[in-house]
């Protein structure tokens, strides 16, 4: 800021700044539900997923997609919380 410049407003952006991360998180949650409830097997009952270390593959995939949804959600929140706008009488500063 220049000398004599006056801060008028300090604010944070809306959650729309990270909208793509929220959409990604919702998509991963839907995929996790599809694998957890084994929706594919409702339409193709003969299609069976193997077990890995005593866990069904669909359960492991559901856990993986839940983890990805959590990462996407936390990324969105972190992006929104760490961005700050400073409006002065001369310019707008994004930090």
């Amino acid at each position: 800021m220049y000398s004599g410049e006056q801060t008028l407003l300090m604010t944070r952006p809306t959650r729309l700044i990270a909208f793509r991360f929220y959409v990604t998180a919702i998509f991963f949650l839907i995929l996790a539900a599809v694998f957890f409830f084994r929706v594919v097997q409702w339409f193709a009952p003969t299609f069976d997923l193997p077990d890995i270390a005593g866990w069904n593959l669909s359960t492991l995939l559901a856990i993986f997609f839940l983890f990805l949804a959590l990462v996407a959600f936390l990324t969105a929140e972190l992006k929104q919380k760490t961005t700050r706008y400073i409006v002065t009488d001369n310019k707008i500063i994004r930090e």
Side-chain angles (χ1 to χ4, degrees):
M1 290 183 16
Y2 299 112
S3 63
E5 196 171 22
Q6 187 178 21
T7 300
L8 302 175
L9 176 68
M10 292 180 64
T11 185
R12 298 208 181 277
T14 65
R15 285 189 162 76
L16 289 176
I17 193 171
F19 183 70
R20 66 177 180 262
F21 294 110
Y22 290 116
V23 171
T24 303
I26 290 170
F27 177 72
F28 284 145
L29 285 174
I30 291 170
L31 279 177
V34 164
F35 282 111
F36 183 76
F37 294 114
R38 296 180 177 98
V39 173
V40 174
Q41 292 176 346
W42 293 349
F43 299 106
T46 59
F47 184 74
D48 195 25
L49 294 173
D51 288 346
I52 298 175
W55 290 73
N56 193 320
L57 183 61
S58 65
T59 305
L60 292 175
L61 287 172
I63 292 169
F64 175 71
F65 284 120
L66 275 175
F67 174 74
L68 289 179
L70 179 67
V71 168
F73 178 76
L74 290 177
T75 302
E77 287 295 311
L78 187 64
K79 186 172 181 73
Q80 192 264 340
K81 294 293 183 194
T82 59
T83 304
R84 186 174 64 166
Y85 294 118
I86 301 173
V87 179
T88 66
D89 54 356
N90 192 26
K91 61 186 168 198
I92 299 173
I93 304 168
R94 180 179 178 184
E95 293 181 338

